[in-house]
PDB file of all heavy atoms in Angstrom:
ATOM      1  N   SER A 130     118.960  90.814 108.370  1.00 93.00           N
ATOM      2  CA  SER A 130     118.655  89.475 108.564  1.00 93.00           C
ATOM      3  C   SER A 130     119.495  88.595 107.523  1.00 93.00           C
ATOM      4  O   SER A 130     119.523  87.393 107.616  1.00 93.00           O
ATOM      5  CB  SER A 130     117.192  89.070 108.476  1.00 93.00           C
ATOM      6  OG  SER A 130     116.492  89.855 107.543  1.00 93.00           O
ATOM      7  N   LEU A 131     120.039  89.190 106.477  1.00 93.00           N
ATOM      8  CA  LEU A 131     120.934  88.533 105.576  1.00 93.00           C
ATOM      9  C   LEU A 131     122.340  88.062 106.197  1.00 93.00           C
ATOM     10  O   LEU A 131     122.925  87.052 105.802  1.00 93.00           O
ATOM     11  CB  LEU A 131     121.208  89.331 104.378  1.00 93.00           C
ATOM     12  CG  LEU A 131     119.971  89.573 103.415  1.00 93.00           C
ATOM     13  CD1 LEU A 131     120.323  90.467 102.427  1.00 93.00           C
ATOM     14  CD2 LEU A 131     119.471  88.281 102.871  1.00 93.00           C
ATOM     15  N   GLY A 135     125.581  86.414 104.244  1.00 82.00           N
ATOM     16  CA  GLY A 135     124.569  86.619 103.284  1.00 82.00           C
ATOM     17  C   GLY A 135     124.706  87.859 102.451  1.00 82.00           C
ATOM     18  O   GLY A 135     124.228  87.998 101.321  1.00 82.00           O
ATOM     19  N   LYS A 181     126.215  89.310  93.886  1.00 97.00           N
ATOM     20  CA  LYS A 181     124.867  89.195  93.976  1.00 97.00           C
ATOM     21  C   LYS A 181     124.302  90.607  94.094  1.00 97.00           C
ATOM     22  O   LYS A 181     125.018  91.512  94.499  1.00 97.00           O
ATOM     23  CB  LYS A 181     124.391  88.462  95.317  1.00 97.00           C
ATOM     24  CG  LYS A 181     124.652  87.064  95.391  1.00 97.00           C
ATOM     25  CD  LYS A 181     124.894  86.670  96.813  1.00 97.00           C
ATOM     26  CE  LYS A 181     124.057  85.776  97.523  1.00 97.00           C
ATOM     27  NZ  LYS A 181     123.290  84.692  97.218  1.00 97.00           N
ATOM     28  N   SER A 203     115.480  80.616  88.108  1.00 97.00           N
ATOM     29  CA  SER A 203     115.787  79.796  89.250  1.00 97.00           C
ATOM     30  C   SER A 203     116.989  80.453  90.234  1.00 97.00           C
ATOM     31  O   SER A 203     117.035  79.927  91.261  1.00 97.00           O
ATOM     32  CB  SER A 203     116.259  78.405  88.743  1.00 97.00           C
ATOM     33  OG  SER A 203     117.484  78.555  88.016  1.00 97.00           O
ATOM     34  N   MET A 205     116.779  83.580  91.056  1.00 98.00           N
ATOM     35  CA  MET A 205     116.249  84.754  91.532  1.00 98.00           C
ATOM     36  C   MET A 205     115.267  84.325  92.548  1.00 98.00           C
ATOM     37  O   MET A 205     114.568  83.472  92.452  1.00 98.00           O
ATOM     38  CB  MET A 205     115.554  85.607  90.507  1.00 98.00           C
ATOM     39  CG  MET A 205     116.372  85.916  89.243  1.00 98.00           C
ATOM     40  SD  MET A 205     115.424  87.006  88.135  1.00 98.00           S
ATOM     41  CE  MET A 205     116.240  86.531  86.542  1.00 98.00           C
ATOM     42  N   VAL A 206     115.306  85.048  93.736  1.00 98.00           N
ATOM     43  CA  VAL A 206     114.287  84.927  94.866  1.00 98.00           C
ATOM     44  C   VAL A 206     113.499  86.114  95.126  1.00 98.00           C
ATOM     45  O   VAL A 206     114.021  87.255  94.825  1.00 98.00           O
ATOM     46  CB  VAL A 206     114.898  84.367  96.142  1.00 98.00           C
ATOM     47  CG1 VAL A 206     115.420  83.032  96.004  1.00 98.00           C
ATOM     48  CG2 VAL A 206     115.947  85.359  96.597  1.00 98.00           C
ATOM     49  N   VAL A 207     112.273  86.109  95.641  1.00 98.00           N
ATOM     50  CA  VAL A 207     111.529  87.337  96.011  1.00 98.00           C
ATOM     51  C   VAL A 207     111.530  87.422  97.494  1.00 98.00           C
ATOM     52  O   VAL A 207     111.132  86.534  98.236  1.00 98.00           O
ATOM     53  CB  VAL A 207     110.187  87.207  95.424  1.00 98.00           C
ATOM     54  CG1 VAL A 207     109.297  88.430  95.780  1.00 98.00           C
ATOM     55  CG2 VAL A 207     110.179  87.072  93.932  1.00 98.00           C
ATOM     56  N   TRP A 208     112.033  88.561  97.952  1.00 98.00           N
ATOM     57  CA  TRP A 208     112.079  88.863  99.401  1.00 98.00           C
ATOM     58  C   TRP A 208     110.751  89.546  99.685  1.00 98.00           C
ATOM     59  O   TRP A 208     110.403  90.678  99.324  1.00 98.00           O
ATOM     60  CB  TRP A 208     113.251  89.835  99.698  1.00 98.00           C
ATOM     61  CG  TRP A 208     113.279  90.023 101.163  1.00 98.00           C
ATOM     62  CD1 TRP A 208     112.708  90.977 101.979  1.00 98.00           C
ATOM     63  CD2 TRP A 208     114.170  89.406 102.079  1.00 98.00           C
ATOM     64  NE1 TRP A 208     112.988  91.002 103.238  1.00 98.00           N
ATOM     65  CE2 TRP A 208     113.892  90.001 103.334  1.00 98.00           C
ATOM     66  CE3 TRP A 208     115.017  88.319 102.051  1.00 98.00           C
ATOM     67  CZ2 TRP A 208     114.486  89.573 104.547  1.00 98.00           C
ATOM     68  CZ3 TRP A 208     115.628  87.927 103.232  1.00 98.00           C
ATOM     69  CH2 TRP A 208     115.382  88.377 104.402  1.00 98.00           C
ATOM     70  N   ASP A 209     109.895  88.896 100.599  1.00 98.00           N
ATOM     71  CA  ASP A 209     108.621  89.548 101.064  1.00 98.00           C
ATOM     72  C   ASP A 209     108.888  90.134 102.321  1.00 98.00           C
ATOM     73  O   ASP A 209     109.081  89.424 103.419  1.00 98.00           O
ATOM     74  CB  ASP A 209     107.661  88.408 101.156  1.00 98.00           C
ATOM     75  CG  ASP A 209     106.280  89.066 101.572  1.00 98.00           C
ATOM     76  OD1 ASP A 209     106.144  90.226 102.043  1.00 98.00           O
ATOM     77  OD2 ASP A 209     105.302  88.371 101.382  1.00 98.00           O
ATOM     78  N   GLN A 212     107.172  88.807 105.616  1.00 98.00           N
ATOM     79  CA  GLN A 212     107.335  87.424 106.011  1.00 98.00           C
ATOM     80  C   GLN A 212     108.562  87.359 106.777  1.00 98.00           C
ATOM     81  O   GLN A 212     109.668  88.089 106.521  1.00 98.00           O
ATOM     82  CB  GLN A 212     107.332  86.411 104.820  1.00 98.00           C
ATOM     83  CG  GLN A 212     105.815  86.339 104.331  1.00 98.00           C
ATOM     84  CD  GLN A 212     105.763  84.995 103.431  1.00 98.00           C
ATOM     85  OE1 GLN A 212     106.272  84.046 103.892  1.00 98.00           O
ATOM     86  NE2 GLN A 212     105.243  85.109 102.295  1.00 98.00           N
ATOM     87  N   ILE A 213     108.687  86.359 107.716  1.00 96.00           N
ATOM     88  CA  ILE A 213     109.952  86.127 108.500  1.00 96.00           C
ATOM     89  C   ILE A 213     111.049  85.721 107.430  1.00 96.00           C
ATOM     90  O   ILE A 213     110.796  84.817 106.599  1.00 96.00           O
ATOM     91  CB  ILE A 213     109.865  84.983 109.657  1.00 96.00           C
ATOM     92  CG1 ILE A 213     108.826  85.742 110.672  1.00 96.00           C
ATOM     93  CG2 ILE A 213     111.098  84.644 110.312  1.00 96.00           C
ATOM     94  CD1 ILE A 213     108.099  84.733 111.531  1.00 96.00           C
ATOM     95  N   ASN A 214     112.222  86.325 107.647  1.00 96.00           N
ATOM     96  CA  ASN A 214     113.386  86.038 106.656  1.00 96.00           C
ATOM     97  C   ASN A 214     113.010  86.249 105.223  1.00 96.00           C
ATOM     98  O   ASN A 214     113.247  85.392 104.372  1.00 96.00           O
ATOM     99  CB  ASN A 214     113.962  84.676 106.965  1.00 96.00           C
ATOM    100  CG  ASN A 214     114.623  84.659 108.315  1.00 96.00           C
ATOM    101  OD1 ASN A 214     115.223  85.673 108.782  1.00 96.00           O
ATOM    102  ND2 ASN A 214     114.677  83.543 108.926  1.00 96.00           N
ATOM    103  N   GLY A 215     112.005  87.054 104.953  1.00 98.00           N
ATOM    104  CA  GLY A 215     111.614  87.343 103.588  1.00 98.00           C
ATOM    105  C   GLY A 215     110.873  86.335 103.092  1.00 98.00           C
ATOM    106  O   GLY A 215     110.477  86.333 101.781  1.00 98.00           O
ATOM    107  N   GLY A 216     110.591  85.185 103.688  1.00 98.00           N
ATOM    108  CA  GLY A 216     109.843  84.146 103.238  1.00 98.00           C
ATOM    109  C   GLY A 216     110.683  83.186 102.300  1.00 98.00           C
ATOM    110  O   GLY A 216     110.209  82.450 101.417  1.00 98.00           O
ATOM    111  N   VAL A 217     111.943  83.343 102.455  1.00 97.00           N
ATOM    112  CA  VAL A 217     112.834  82.655 101.570  1.00 97.00           C
ATOM    113  C   VAL A 217     113.830  81.745 102.462  1.00 97.00           C
ATOM    114  O   VAL A 217     114.316  82.123 103.502  1.00 97.00           O
ATOM    115  CB  VAL A 217     113.757  83.621 100.789  1.00 97.00           C
ATOM    116  CG1 VAL A 217     114.639  82.710  99.708  1.00 97.00           C
ATOM    117  CG2 VAL A 217     113.036  84.771 100.083  1.00 97.00           C
ATOM    118  N   SER A 218     114.001  80.458 101.989  1.00 96.00           N
ATOM    119  CA  SER A 218     114.755  79.601 102.812  1.00 96.00           C
ATOM    120  C   SER A 218     116.311  79.991 102.733  1.00 96.00           C
ATOM    121  O   SER A 218     116.627  80.449 101.609  1.00 96.00           O
ATOM    122  CB  SER A 218     114.550  78.045 102.274  1.00 96.00           C
ATOM    123  OG  SER A 218     115.215  77.954 101.089  1.00 96.00           O
ATOM    124  N   PRO A 219     117.102  79.706 103.771  1.00 93.00           N
ATOM    125  CA  PRO A 219     118.429  79.973 103.623  1.00 93.00           C
ATOM    126  C   PRO A 219     119.239  79.408 102.481  1.00 93.00           C
ATOM    127  O   PRO A 219     119.929  80.039 101.947  1.00 93.00           O
ATOM    128  CB  PRO A 219     118.968  79.367 105.035  1.00 93.00           C
ATOM    129  CG  PRO A 219     117.852  79.246 105.860  1.00 93.00           C
ATOM    130  CD  PRO A 219     116.646  78.984 104.999  1.00 93.00           C
ATOM    131  N   ASP A 220     118.834  78.261 102.087  1.00 95.00           N
ATOM    132  CA  ASP A 220     119.517  77.539 100.895  1.00 95.00           C
ATOM    133  C   ASP A 220     119.178  78.273  99.586  1.00 95.00           C
ATOM    134  O   ASP A 220     120.122  78.599  98.783  1.00 95.00           O
ATOM    135  CB  ASP A 220     119.024  76.079 100.789  1.00 95.00           C
ATOM    136  CG  ASP A 220     119.554  75.268 101.837  1.00 95.00           C
ATOM    137  OD1 ASP A 220     120.381  75.773 102.588  1.00 95.00           O
ATOM    138  OD2 ASP A 220     119.156  74.040 101.980  1.00 95.00           O
ATOM    139  N   ARG A 221     117.906  78.641  99.476  1.00 96.00           N
ATOM    140  CA  ARG A 221     117.570  79.367  98.218  1.00 96.00           C
ATOM    141  C   ARG A 221     118.325  80.770  98.254  1.00 96.00           C
ATOM    142  O   ARG A 221     118.789  81.251  97.185  1.00 96.00           O
ATOM    143  CB  ARG A 221     116.023  79.573  98.024  1.00 96.00           C
ATOM    144  CG  ARG A 221     115.427  78.366  97.730  1.00 96.00           C
ATOM    145  CD  ARG A 221     114.207  78.481  96.775  1.00 96.00           C
ATOM    146  NE  ARG A 221     114.648  79.091  95.610  1.00 96.00           N
ATOM    147  CZ  ARG A 221     113.914  79.862  94.822  1.00 96.00           C
ATOM    148  NH1 ARG A 221     112.717  80.232  95.287  1.00 96.00           N
ATOM    149  NH2 ARG A 221     114.355  80.359  93.635  1.00 96.00           N
ATOM    150  N   LEU A 222     118.304  81.455  99.244  1.00 95.00           N
ATOM    151  CA  LEU A 222     119.008  82.729  99.486  1.00 95.00           C
ATOM    152  C   LEU A 222     120.531  82.562  99.105  1.00 95.00           C
ATOM    153  O   LEU A 222     120.986  83.509  98.301  1.00 95.00           O
ATOM    154  CB  LEU A 222     118.874  83.129 100.870  1.00 95.00           C
ATOM    155  CG  LEU A 222     117.859  84.383 101.271  1.00 95.00           C
ATOM    156  CD1 LEU A 222     118.000  84.817 102.635  1.00 95.00           C
ATOM    157  CD2 LEU A 222     118.047  85.608 100.280  1.00 95.00           C
ATOM    158  N   LYS A 223     121.080  81.570  99.593  1.00 92.00           N
ATOM    159  CA  LYS A 223     122.419  81.387  99.363  1.00 92.00           C
ATOM    160  C   LYS A 223     122.825  81.184  97.927  1.00 92.00           C
ATOM    161  O   LYS A 223     123.749  81.605  97.331  1.00 92.00           O
ATOM    162  CB  LYS A 223     122.889  80.141 100.149  1.00 92.00           C
ATOM    163  CG  LYS A 223     124.407  80.161 100.365  1.00 92.00           C
ATOM    164  CD  LYS A 223     124.847  79.201 101.478  1.00 92.00           C
ATOM    165  CE  LYS A 223     126.336  79.142 101.523  1.00 92.00           C
ATOM    166  NZ  LYS A 223     126.839  77.833 101.805  1.00 92.00           N
ATOM    167  N   ALA A 224     121.916  80.373  97.271  1.00 94.00           N
ATOM    168  CA  ALA A 224     122.146  80.090  95.807  1.00 94.00           C
ATOM    169  C   ALA A 224     121.717  81.171  94.830  1.00 94.00           C
ATOM    170  O   ALA A 224     122.210  81.285  93.625  1.00 94.00           O
ATOM    171  CB  ALA A 224     121.360  78.828  95.538  1.00 94.00           C
ATOM    172  N   ALA A 225     120.947  82.153  95.335  1.00 96.00           N
ATOM    173  CA  ALA A 225     120.438  83.272  94.442  1.00 96.00           C
ATOM    174  C   ALA A 225     121.459  84.302  94.024  1.00 96.00           C
ATOM    175  O   ALA A 225     122.321  84.596  94.864  1.00 96.00           O
ATOM    176  CB  ALA A 225     119.233  83.965  95.175  1.00 96.00           C
ATOM    177  N   LYS A 226     121.347  84.653  92.821  1.00 97.00           N
ATOM    178  CA  LYS A 226     122.187  85.701  92.317  1.00 97.00           C
ATOM    179  C   LYS A 226     121.569  87.163  92.425  1.00 97.00           C
ATOM    180  O   LYS A 226     122.118  88.146  92.604  1.00 97.00           O
ATOM    181  CB  LYS A 226     122.559  85.542  90.863  1.00 97.00           C
ATOM    182  CG  LYS A 226     123.910  84.797  90.555  1.00 97.00           C
ATOM    183  CD  LYS A 226     124.294  84.832  89.144  1.00 97.00           C
ATOM    184  CE  LYS A 226     125.448  85.690  88.871  1.00 97.00           C
ATOM    185  NZ  LYS A 226     126.699  85.462  89.701  1.00 97.00           N
ATOM    186  N   ILE A 227     120.146  87.034  92.388  1.00 98.00           N
ATOM    187  CA  ILE A 227     119.425  88.272  92.522  1.00 98.00           C
ATOM    188  C   ILE A 227     118.218  88.034  93.656  1.00 98.00           C
ATOM    189  O   ILE A 227     117.554  87.091  93.587  1.00 98.00           O
ATOM    190  CB  ILE A 227     118.592  88.479  91.314  1.00 98.00           C
ATOM    191  CG1 ILE A 227     119.467  88.461  90.042  1.00 98.00           C
ATOM    192  CG2 ILE A 227     117.902  89.841  91.204  1.00 98.00           C
ATOM    193  CD1 ILE A 227     120.394  89.589  89.802  1.00 98.00           C
ATOM    194  N   ILE A 228     118.227  89.026  94.557  1.00 98.00           N
ATOM    195  CA  ILE A 228     117.211  88.993  95.563  1.00 98.00           C
ATOM    196  C   ILE A 228     116.270  90.191  95.178  1.00 98.00           C
ATOM    197  O   ILE A 228     116.736  91.380  95.101  1.00 98.00           O
ATOM    198  CB  ILE A 228     117.819  89.257  96.990  1.00 98.00           C
ATOM    199  CG1 ILE A 228     118.675  88.215  97.348  1.00 98.00           C
ATOM    200  CG2 ILE A 228     116.522  89.261  97.943  1.00 98.00           C
ATOM    201  CD1 ILE A 228     119.550  88.372  98.584  1.00 98.00           C
TER     202      ILE A 228
END
Side-chain angles (χ1 to χ4, degrees):
S130 37
L131 291 171
K181 289 151 116 34
S203 57
M205 304 182 208
V206 292
V207 177
W208 182 276
D209 181 348
Q212 289 200 42
I213 294 166
N214 290 329
V217 191
S218 73
D220 287 352
R221 284 218 63 212
L222 254 186
K223 202 166 172 214
K226 262 191 117 44
I227 312 282
I228 304 171

